[in-house]
């Protein structure tokens, strides 16, 4: 059985916080926890792709959302994934008041640092699950 934790970011196109969500997930699954986690494309989840549904239905998932609309969390739940942690980029951003976070297409030094912090939080949760 595939025991890798599924880590799903929102699409967040057009928002720097969405970009931070995606980058944090990629850093986690490819650099920090490649053996224990993998990511799944949210668009496939939303459109009901059968292969993706099999991957997440009944499995532990961590979602990472760029705004309060919580698109990743809602859609993973609808598809049958077990959302064991709902990460919100804004929760970490709030701890860094006064910083500028770059643009929807490019992280700057501040958003890179916060993105890395979020990735560390995701990795910590994955290690707890495992
Ligand atoms: S959670 Fe917010 S930023 Fe992310 S895809 Fe949905 S609307 Fe966009």
């Amino acid at each position: 059985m595939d025991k890798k934790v599924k880590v799903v970011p929102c699409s967040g196109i057009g928002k720097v916080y969405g970009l931070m969500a995606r980058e944090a997930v990629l850093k986690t699954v490819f650099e920090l926890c490649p053996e224990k986690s993998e990511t799944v494309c949210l668009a496939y989840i939303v459109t009901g792709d059968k292969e993706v549904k099999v991957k997440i239905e009944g499995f532990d998932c961590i979602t990472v959302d760029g705004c309060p609309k919580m698109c990743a969390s809602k859609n993973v739940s609808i598809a049958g994934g077990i959302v064991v942690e709902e990460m919100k980029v804004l929760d970490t951003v709030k701890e860094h008041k006064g910083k500028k976070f770059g643009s929807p297409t490019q992280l700057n030094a501040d958003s890179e640092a916060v993105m890395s912090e979020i990735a560390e939080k995701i990795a910590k949760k994955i290690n707890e699950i495992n």
Side-chain angles (χ1 to χ4, degrees):
M1 186 191 274
D2 180 2
K3 289 193 181 222
K4 283 188 173 180
V5 178
K6 314 301 180 246
V7 191
V8 184
C10 74
S11 54
I13 299 298
K15 295 181 184 174
V16 68
Y17 300 141
L19 178 60
M20 288 164 74
R22 294 197 305 280
E23 291 290 324
V25 169
L26 294 176
K27 186 176 178 73
T28 305
V29 302
F30 292 114
E31 289 177 29
L32 304 179
C33 297
E35 327 267 282
K36 299 176 182 172
S37 65
E38 63 183 334
T39 191
V40 178
C41 176
L42 182 63
Y44 274 141
I45 295 172
V46 172
T47 55
D49 182 87
K50 284 187 184 128
E51 276 178 37
V52 166
K53 193 167 170 62
V54 166
K55 261 181 178 275
I56 68 167
E57 197 166 32
F59 288 101
D60 287 346
C61 302
I62 295 172
T63 55
V64 187
D65 277 299
C67 88
K69 292 193 185 298
M70 304 295 285
C71 297
S73 177
K74 285 178 190 164
N75 284 287
V76 167
S77 290
I78 290 168
I82 302 165
V83 180
V84 293
E85 183 79 16
E86 285 180 320
M87 294 263 175
K88 301 176 183 107
V89 169
L90 290 176
D91 284 348
T92 306
V93 164
K94 280 181 200 155
E95 295 163 11
H96 297 271
K97 286 203 168 77
K99 289 190 176 162
K100 304 274 184 214
F101 290 104
S103 74
T105 54
Q106 184 128 34
L107 299 183
N108 61 16
D110 281 345
S111 49
E112 278 271 353
V114 173
M115 177 277 288
S116 293
E117 208 176 305
I118 295 166
E120 294 288 345
K121 288 181 183 176
I122 302 168
K124 184 167 181 269
K125 186 68 194 173
I126 290 167
N127 286 320
E128 283 169 13
I129 294 167
N130 276 269

